[in-house]
Amino acid sequence: MKISWGTAIVMAMISFIAFIMFFVITMSTDDKYSHDLVVEEYYKTELTFEDQLDKTRNATKLSENINLKKTPEGLLVTFPQELTASNISGNVFLYRPSNKQLDSEIPLSLSSHQLLVPERSLIGGRWNIIIDWKYQGEKFYFKEEIIY
C-alpha cells in the first residue's frame, strides 16, 4: 500500500496534535510538575515591604551582620557578637522556591550566638533563608539565598 504525500501530512499533523495533548494533560495532572505561588497571600505580604526595609536598615547599622556557614552538621547561623544572645528572639524561615512542602520555620531561642539548622532539614538545592528577629525592642531582618 502506498501512502500519498497528502495522507502523510495529515498523519503527521494528527501525530503532532496527539503529542501536544499528551504533554498538556501530563503537565496538568502530575504533581511532580506542580508549581505554586511564591507566597500564598502575595498582596498582604507586599504591604509589609516597607517594614522589611526598615528592619534591613537597622541590621546594616550593626558592626557585623548575621553570618551563614555550611558545615557537615548543617547550616550554622552566627549572630553578631556585640549582642547578648539570650535577648535575641524571632524566627528563621527556610523557604524552598521549588517545593513549598519543604518550607519550615524555626523559632529563635538562643543560649549562644550560633544556631545550627540540621542537615536533615535542608535538601540540596536553592534555599532562601529569612531571619526576622528582634533585640531589645529593635527589629531586624536578614535575607540570603544559598545553594545547599
Side-chain angles (χ1 to χ4, degrees):
M1 180 168 129
K2 205 171 186 182
I3 298 176
S4 68
W5 64 271
T7 305
I9 289 175
V10 169
M11 287 175 41
M13 288 176 62
I14 290 173
S15 298
F16 179 73
I17 291 170
F19 168 73
I20 295 298
M21 291 302 295
F22 169 77
F23 185 71
V24 167
I25 291 169
T26 302
M27 294 297 286
S28 302
T29 58
D30 196 349
D31 289 337
K32 182 170 69 172
Y33 301 113
S34 175
H35 296 288
D36 300 314
L37 294 172
V38 174
V39 289
E40 291 295 326
E41 298 174 345
Y42 177 77
Y43 294 109
K44 186 178 179 181
T45 305
E46 281 298 310
L47 293 175
T48 63
F49 186 67
E50 187 66 36
D51 188 36
Q52 286 179 3
L53 287 175
D54 293 339
K55 292 177 188 179
T56 304
R57 277 189 219 111
N58 288 343
T60 59
K61 293 175 186 174
L62 296 171
S63 63
E64 62 178 312
N65 207 346
I66 293 175
N67 186 20
L68 302 178
K69 183 180 178 184
K70 204 158 92 171
T71 64
E73 295 84 28
L75 184 68
L76 188 64
V77 180
T78 306
F79 287 85
Q81 295 294 324
E82 66 190 60
L83 308 177
T84 307
S86 60
N87 292 339
I88 297 173
S89 62
N91 292 312
V92 176
F93 301 101
L94 304 172
Y95 170 68
R96 179 70 182 241
S98 62
N99 187 351
K100 77 175 182 180
Q101 281 77 27
L102 297 175
D103 294 354
S104 62
E105 182 176 342
I106 301 169
L108 285 175
S109 59
L110 303 174
S111 58
S112 72
H113 287 89
Q114 296 180 333
L115 170 73
L116 180 67
V117 178
E119 186 177 17
R120 62 179 155 66
S121 300
L122 298 168
I123 296 173
R126 180 175 166 227
W127 288 89
N128 292 345
I129 310 297
I130 300 169
I131 304 173
D132 194 1
W133 57 291
K134 189 167 44 169
Y135 178 74
Q136 294 181 342
E138 195 168 357
K139 297 179 180 180
F140 301 92
Y141 187 83
F142 174 83
K143 180 177 179 179
E144 189 170 321
E145 295 176 6
I146 64 165
I147 305 294
Y148 192 78

PDB file of all heavy atoms in Angstrom, residues 91-96 99-107 117-118 120-122 127-130:
ATOM      1  N   ASN A  91      12.297  34.518  64.371  1.00  0.00           N
ATOM      2  CA  ASN A  91      12.095  33.293  63.609  1.00  0.00           C
ATOM      3  C   ASN A  91      13.089  33.198  62.472  1.00  0.00           C
ATOM      4  O   ASN A  91      13.496  34.210  61.900  1.00  0.00           O
ATOM      5  CB  ASN A  91      10.678  33.254  63.015  1.00  0.00           C
ATOM      6  CG  ASN A  91       9.616  33.104  64.072  1.00  0.00           C
ATOM      7  OD1 ASN A  91       9.727  32.264  64.943  1.00  0.00           O
ATOM      8  ND2 ASN A  91       8.593  33.929  63.990  1.00  0.00           N
ATOM      9  N   VAL A  92      13.429  31.962  62.122  1.00  0.00           N
ATOM     10  CA  VAL A  92      14.221  31.667  60.939  1.00  0.00           C
ATOM     11  C   VAL A  92      13.300  30.931  59.979  1.00  0.00           C
ATOM     12  O   VAL A  92      12.749  29.885  60.316  1.00  0.00           O
ATOM     13  CB  VAL A  92      15.448  30.787  61.281  1.00  0.00           C
ATOM     14  CG1 VAL A  92      16.207  30.416  60.018  1.00  0.00           C
ATOM     15  CG2 VAL A  92      16.355  31.490  62.268  1.00  0.00           C
ATOM     16  N   PHE A  93      13.100  31.501  58.796  1.00  0.00           N
ATOM     17  CA  PHE A  93      12.265  30.878  57.774  1.00  0.00           C
ATOM     18  C   PHE A  93      13.166  30.228  56.744  1.00  0.00           C
ATOM     19  O   PHE A  93      14.046  30.877  56.182  1.00  0.00           O
ATOM     20  CB  PHE A  93      11.389  31.914  57.072  1.00  0.00           C
ATOM     21  CG  PHE A  93      10.468  32.650  57.991  1.00  0.00           C
ATOM     22  CD1 PHE A  93      10.779  33.926  58.426  1.00  0.00           C
ATOM     23  CD2 PHE A  93       9.286  32.074  58.418  1.00  0.00           C
ATOM     24  CE1 PHE A  93       9.937  34.614  59.277  1.00  0.00           C
ATOM     25  CE2 PHE A  93       8.437  32.756  59.278  1.00  0.00           C
ATOM     26  CZ  PHE A  93       8.763  34.027  59.701  1.00  0.00           C
ATOM     27  N   LEU A  94      12.952  28.946  56.495  1.00  0.00           N
ATOM     28  CA  LEU A  94      13.667  28.225  55.451  1.00  0.00           C
ATOM     29  C   LEU A  94      12.682  28.048  54.307  1.00  0.00           C
ATOM     30  O   LEU A  94      11.723  27.273  54.422  1.00  0.00           O
ATOM     31  CB  LEU A  94      14.154  26.873  55.965  1.00  0.00           C
ATOM     32  CG  LEU A  94      15.030  26.924  57.212  1.00  0.00           C
ATOM     33  CD1 LEU A  94      15.281  25.525  57.739  1.00  0.00           C
ATOM     34  CD2 LEU A  94      16.336  27.619  56.910  1.00  0.00           C
ATOM     35  N   TYR A  95      12.906  28.775  53.234  1.00  0.00           N
ATOM     36  CA  TYR A  95      11.952  28.801  52.124  1.00  0.00           C
ATOM     37  C   TYR A  95      12.576  28.127  50.910  1.00  0.00           C
ATOM     38  O   TYR A  95      13.648  28.513  50.457  1.00  0.00           O
ATOM     39  CB  TYR A  95      11.572  30.252  51.814  1.00  0.00           C
ATOM     40  CG  TYR A  95      10.792  30.418  50.551  1.00  0.00           C
ATOM     41  CD1 TYR A  95       9.499  29.934  50.439  1.00  0.00           C
ATOM     42  CD2 TYR A  95      11.348  31.052  49.456  1.00  0.00           C
ATOM     43  CE1 TYR A  95       8.788  30.079  49.274  1.00  0.00           C
ATOM     44  CE2 TYR A  95      10.645  31.206  48.281  1.00  0.00           C
ATOM     45  CZ  TYR A  95       9.364  30.716  48.201  1.00  0.00           C
ATOM     46  OH  TYR A  95       8.670  30.846  47.045  1.00  0.00           O
ATOM     47  N   ARG A  96      11.932  27.109  50.391  1.00  0.00           N
ATOM     48  CA  ARG A  96      12.386  26.391  49.203  1.00  0.00           C
ATOM     49  C   ARG A  96      11.494  26.809  48.038  1.00  0.00           C
ATOM     50  O   ARG A  96      10.328  26.448  47.986  1.00  0.00           O
ATOM     51  CB  ARG A  96      12.290  24.885  49.449  1.00  0.00           C
ATOM     52  CG  ARG A  96      12.715  24.024  48.305  1.00  0.00           C
ATOM     53  CD  ARG A  96      14.226  24.124  48.109  1.00  0.00           C
ATOM     54  NE  ARG A  96      14.628  23.318  46.978  1.00  0.00           N
ATOM     55  CZ  ARG A  96      15.461  22.318  47.058  1.00  0.00           C
ATOM     56  NH1 ARG A  96      16.010  22.004  48.208  1.00  0.00           N
ATOM     57  NH2 ARG A  96      15.769  21.634  45.990  1.00  0.00           N
ATOM     58  N   ASN A  99       9.560  23.893  46.108  1.00  0.00           N
ATOM     59  CA  ASN A  99       8.676  22.942  46.766  1.00  0.00           C
ATOM     60  C   ASN A  99       8.242  23.491  48.125  1.00  0.00           C
ATOM     61  O   ASN A  99       9.017  23.491  49.079  1.00  0.00           O
ATOM     62  CB  ASN A  99       9.398  21.597  46.942  1.00  0.00           C
ATOM     63  CG  ASN A  99       8.491  20.514  47.463  1.00  0.00           C
ATOM     64  OD1 ASN A  99       7.354  20.757  47.858  1.00  0.00           O
ATOM     65  ND2 ASN A  99       8.994  19.300  47.458  1.00  0.00           N
ATOM     66  N   LYS A 100       6.994  23.915  48.227  1.00  0.00           N
ATOM     67  CA  LYS A 100       6.548  24.537  49.474  1.00  0.00           C
ATOM     68  C   LYS A 100       6.402  23.534  50.620  1.00  0.00           C
ATOM     69  O   LYS A 100       6.365  23.928  51.770  1.00  0.00           O
ATOM     70  CB  LYS A 100       5.257  25.315  49.263  1.00  0.00           C
ATOM     71  CG  LYS A 100       4.005  24.493  49.160  1.00  0.00           C
ATOM     72  CD  LYS A 100       2.806  25.403  49.067  1.00  0.00           C
ATOM     73  CE  LYS A 100       1.532  24.602  49.024  1.00  0.00           C
ATOM     74  NZ  LYS A 100       0.368  25.451  48.946  1.00  0.00           N
ATOM     75  N   GLN A 101       6.373  22.227  50.332  1.00  0.00           N
ATOM     76  CA  GLN A 101       6.291  21.240  51.393  1.00  0.00           C
ATOM     77  C   GLN A 101       7.590  21.191  52.204  1.00  0.00           C
ATOM     78  O   GLN A 101       7.602  20.703  53.331  1.00  0.00           O
ATOM     79  CB  GLN A 101       6.000  19.839  50.825  1.00  0.00           C
ATOM     80  CG  GLN A 101       4.545  19.608  50.476  1.00  0.00           C
ATOM     81  CD  GLN A 101       4.135  20.273  49.170  1.00  0.00           C
ATOM     82  OE1 GLN A 101       4.956  20.475  48.300  1.00  0.00           O
ATOM     83  NE2 GLN A 101       2.865  20.608  49.048  1.00  0.00           N
ATOM     84  N   LEU A 102       8.701  21.682  51.642  1.00  0.00           N
ATOM     85  CA  LEU A 102       9.980  21.682  52.350  1.00  0.00           C
ATOM     86  C   LEU A 102      10.186  22.935  53.201  1.00  0.00           C
ATOM     87  O   LEU A 102      11.148  23.013  53.961  1.00  0.00           O
ATOM     88  CB  LEU A 102      11.136  21.535  51.357  1.00  0.00           C
ATOM     89  CG  LEU A 102      11.167  20.235  50.552  1.00  0.00           C
ATOM     90  CD1 LEU A 102      12.286  20.278  49.525  1.00  0.00           C
ATOM     91  CD2 LEU A 102      11.321  19.034  51.468  1.00  0.00           C
ATOM     92  N   ASP A 103       9.308  23.927  53.057  1.00  0.00           N
ATOM     93  CA  ASP A 103       9.427  25.160  53.837  1.00  0.00           C
ATOM     94  C   ASP A 103       9.279  24.842  55.325  1.00  0.00           C
ATOM     95  O   ASP A 103       8.504  23.975  55.711  1.00  0.00           O
ATOM     96  CB  ASP A 103       8.344  26.166  53.442  1.00  0.00           C
ATOM     97  CG  ASP A 103       8.505  26.678  52.030  1.00  0.00           C
ATOM     98  OD1 ASP A 103       9.507  26.348  51.379  1.00  0.00           O
ATOM     99  OD2 ASP A 103       7.616  27.419  51.567  1.00  0.00           O
ATOM    100  N   SER A 104      10.028  25.577  56.140  1.00  0.00           N
ATOM    101  CA  SER A 104       9.889  25.393  57.585  1.00  0.00           C
ATOM    102  C   SER A 104      10.231  26.690  58.303  1.00  0.00           C
ATOM    103  O   SER A 104      10.816  27.602  57.726  1.00  0.00           O
ATOM    104  CB  SER A 104      10.781  24.252  58.080  1.00  0.00           C
ATOM    105  OG  SER A 104      12.131  24.543  57.853  1.00  0.00           O
ATOM    106  N   GLU A 105       9.843  26.745  59.547  1.00  0.00           N
ATOM    107  CA  GLU A 105      10.075  27.914  60.386  1.00  0.00           C
ATOM    108  C   GLU A 105      10.647  27.432  61.724  1.00  0.00           C
ATOM    109  O   GLU A 105      10.121  26.510  62.328  1.00  0.00           O
ATOM    110  CB  GLU A 105       8.764  28.661  60.601  1.00  0.00           C
ATOM    111  CG  GLU A 105       8.894  29.909  61.398  1.00  0.00           C
ATOM    112  CD  GLU A 105       7.563  30.658  61.500  1.00  0.00           C
ATOM    113  OE1 GLU A 105       6.653  30.395  60.703  1.00  0.00           O
ATOM    114  OE2 GLU A 105       7.468  31.501  62.394  1.00  0.00           O
ATOM    115  N   ILE A 106      11.737  28.077  62.129  1.00  0.00           N
ATOM    116  CA  ILE A 106      12.402  27.713  63.385  1.00  0.00           C
ATOM    117  C   ILE A 106      12.354  28.923  64.317  1.00  0.00           C
ATOM    118  O   ILE A 106      12.871  29.984  63.975  1.00  0.00           O
ATOM    119  CB  ILE A 106      13.867  27.310  63.135  1.00  0.00           C
ATOM    120  CG1 ILE A 106      13.943  26.129  62.162  1.00  0.00           C
ATOM    121  CG2 ILE A 106      14.563  26.969  64.444  1.00  0.00           C
ATOM    122  CD1 ILE A 106      15.336  25.833  61.668  1.00  0.00           C
ATOM    123  N   PRO A 107      11.738  28.799  65.494  1.00  0.00           N
ATOM    124  CA  PRO A 107      11.742  29.930  66.441  1.00  0.00           C
ATOM    125  C   PRO A 107      13.135  30.089  67.057  1.00  0.00           C
ATOM    126  O   PRO A 107      13.832  29.110  67.296  1.00  0.00           O
ATOM    127  CB  PRO A 107      10.713  29.527  67.487  1.00  0.00           C
ATOM    128  CG  PRO A 107      10.544  28.064  67.348  1.00  0.00           C
ATOM    129  CD  PRO A 107      10.950  27.679  65.962  1.00  0.00           C
ATOM    130  N   VAL A 117      21.087  24.805  61.965  1.00  0.00           N
ATOM    131  CA  VAL A 117      19.947  24.222  61.261  1.00  0.00           C
ATOM    132  C   VAL A 117      20.415  22.847  60.800  1.00  0.00           C
ATOM    133  O   VAL A 117      21.361  22.750  60.021  1.00  0.00           O
ATOM    134  CB  VAL A 117      19.528  25.093  60.053  1.00  0.00           C
ATOM    135  CG1 VAL A 117      18.373  24.448  59.321  1.00  0.00           C
ATOM    136  CG2 VAL A 117      19.170  26.498  60.514  1.00  0.00           C
ATOM    137  N   PRO A 118      19.800  21.767  61.290  1.00  0.00           N
ATOM    138  CA  PRO A 118      20.288  20.419  60.976  1.00  0.00           C
ATOM    139  C   PRO A 118      20.273  20.131  59.478  1.00  0.00           C
ATOM    140  O   PRO A 118      19.418  20.620  58.738  1.00  0.00           O
ATOM    141  CB  PRO A 118      19.313  19.493  61.706  1.00  0.00           C
ATOM    142  CG  PRO A 118      18.555  20.347  62.636  1.00  0.00           C
ATOM    143  CD  PRO A 118      18.625  21.746  62.142  1.00  0.00           C
ATOM    144  N   ARG A 120      19.439  17.489  57.963  1.00  0.00           N
ATOM    145  CA  ARG A 120      18.245  16.767  57.526  1.00  0.00           C
ATOM    146  C   ARG A 120      17.111  17.721  57.134  1.00  0.00           C
ATOM    147  O   ARG A 120      16.196  17.344  56.421  1.00  0.00           O
ATOM    148  CB  ARG A 120      17.785  15.778  58.584  1.00  0.00           C
ATOM    149  CG  ARG A 120      17.387  16.396  59.893  1.00  0.00           C
ATOM    150  CD  ARG A 120      16.904  15.347  60.891  1.00  0.00           C
ATOM    151  NE  ARG A 120      17.044  15.738  62.256  1.00  0.00           N
ATOM    152  CZ  ARG A 120      16.412  16.712  62.870  1.00  0.00           C
ATOM    153  NH1 ARG A 120      15.558  17.440  62.206  1.00  0.00           N
ATOM    154  NH2 ARG A 120      16.609  16.978  64.147  1.00  0.00           N
ATOM    155  N   SER A 121      17.163  18.968  57.602  1.00  0.00           N
ATOM    156  CA  SER A 121      16.136  19.962  57.259  1.00  0.00           C
ATOM    157  C   SER A 121      16.395  20.608  55.907  1.00  0.00           C
ATOM    158  O   SER A 121      15.511  21.252  55.360  1.00  0.00           O
ATOM    159  CB  SER A 121      16.089  21.065  58.311  1.00  0.00           C
ATOM    160  OG  SER A 121      15.782  20.543  59.564  1.00  0.00           O
ATOM    161  N   LEU A 122      17.610  20.456  55.385  1.00  0.00           N
ATOM    162  CA  LEU A 122      17.995  21.133  54.145  1.00  0.00           C
ATOM    163  C   LEU A 122      18.388  20.113  53.081  1.00  0.00           C
ATOM    164  O   LEU A 122      19.445  19.501  53.151  1.00  0.00           O
ATOM    165  CB  LEU A 122      19.181  22.076  54.407  1.00  0.00           C
ATOM    166  CG  LEU A 122      18.923  23.201  55.389  1.00  0.00           C
ATOM    167  CD1 LEU A 122      20.228  23.867  55.773  1.00  0.00           C
ATOM    168  CD2 LEU A 122      17.969  24.207  54.792  1.00  0.00           C
ATOM    169  N   TRP A 127      17.857  27.615  48.464  1.00  0.00           N
ATOM    170  CA  TRP A 127      17.062  27.976  49.627  1.00  0.00           C
ATOM    171  C   TRP A 127      17.119  29.480  49.827  1.00  0.00           C
ATOM    172  O   TRP A 127      18.149  30.096  49.603  1.00  0.00           O
ATOM    173  CB  TRP A 127      17.606  27.312  50.899  1.00  0.00           C
ATOM    174  CG  TRP A 127      17.357  25.854  50.975  1.00  0.00           C
ATOM    175  CD1 TRP A 127      18.160  24.860  50.507  1.00  0.00           C
ATOM    176  CD2 TRP A 127      16.225  25.201  51.553  1.00  0.00           C
ATOM    177  NE1 TRP A 127      17.612  23.643  50.755  1.00  0.00           N
ATOM    178  CE2 TRP A 127      16.425  23.823  51.401  1.00  0.00           C
ATOM    179  CE3 TRP A 127      15.077  25.658  52.177  1.00  0.00           C
ATOM    180  CZ2 TRP A 127      15.499  22.885  51.856  1.00  0.00           C
ATOM    181  CZ3 TRP A 127      14.163  24.723  52.631  1.00  0.00           C
ATOM    182  CH2 TRP A 127      14.369  23.360  52.467  1.00  0.00           C
ATOM    183  N   ASN A 128      16.032  30.056  50.274  1.00  0.00           N
ATOM    184  CA  ASN A 128      16.007  31.444  50.749  1.00  0.00           C
ATOM    185  C   ASN A 128      15.929  31.377  52.269  1.00  0.00           C
ATOM    186  O   ASN A 128      14.981  30.829  52.823  1.00  0.00           O
ATOM    187  CB  ASN A 128      14.804  32.210  50.205  1.00  0.00           C
ATOM    188  CG  ASN A 128      14.894  32.442  48.719  1.00  0.00           C
ATOM    189  OD1 ASN A 128      15.950  32.283  48.110  1.00  0.00           O
ATOM    190  ND2 ASN A 128      13.786  32.802  48.116  1.00  0.00           N
ATOM    191  N   ILE A 129      16.934  31.927  52.920  1.00  0.00           N
ATOM    192  CA  ILE A 129      16.977  31.957  54.380  1.00  0.00           C
ATOM    193  C   ILE A 129      16.539  33.353  54.815  1.00  0.00           C
ATOM    194  O   ILE A 129      17.166  34.346  54.442  1.00  0.00           O
ATOM    195  CB  ILE A 129      18.398  31.672  54.912  1.00  0.00           C
ATOM    196  CG1 ILE A 129      18.989  30.418  54.276  1.00  0.00           C
ATOM    197  CG2 ILE A 129      18.398  31.606  56.424  1.00  0.00           C
ATOM    198  CD1 ILE A 129      18.257  29.153  54.562  1.00  0.00           C
ATOM    199  N   ILE A 130      15.461  33.432  55.559  1.00  0.00           N
ATOM    200  CA  ILE A 130      14.934  34.708  56.038  1.00  0.00           C
ATOM    201  C   ILE A 130      14.931  34.664  57.564  1.00  0.00           C
ATOM    202  O   ILE A 130      14.331  33.770  58.165  1.00  0.00           O
ATOM    203  CB  ILE A 130      13.511  34.964  55.514  1.00  0.00           C
ATOM    204  CG1 ILE A 130      13.518  34.990  53.987  1.00  0.00           C
ATOM    205  CG2 ILE A 130      12.950  36.258  56.081  1.00  0.00           C
ATOM    206  CD1 ILE A 130      12.144  34.977  53.361  1.00  0.00           C
TER     207      ILE A 130
END
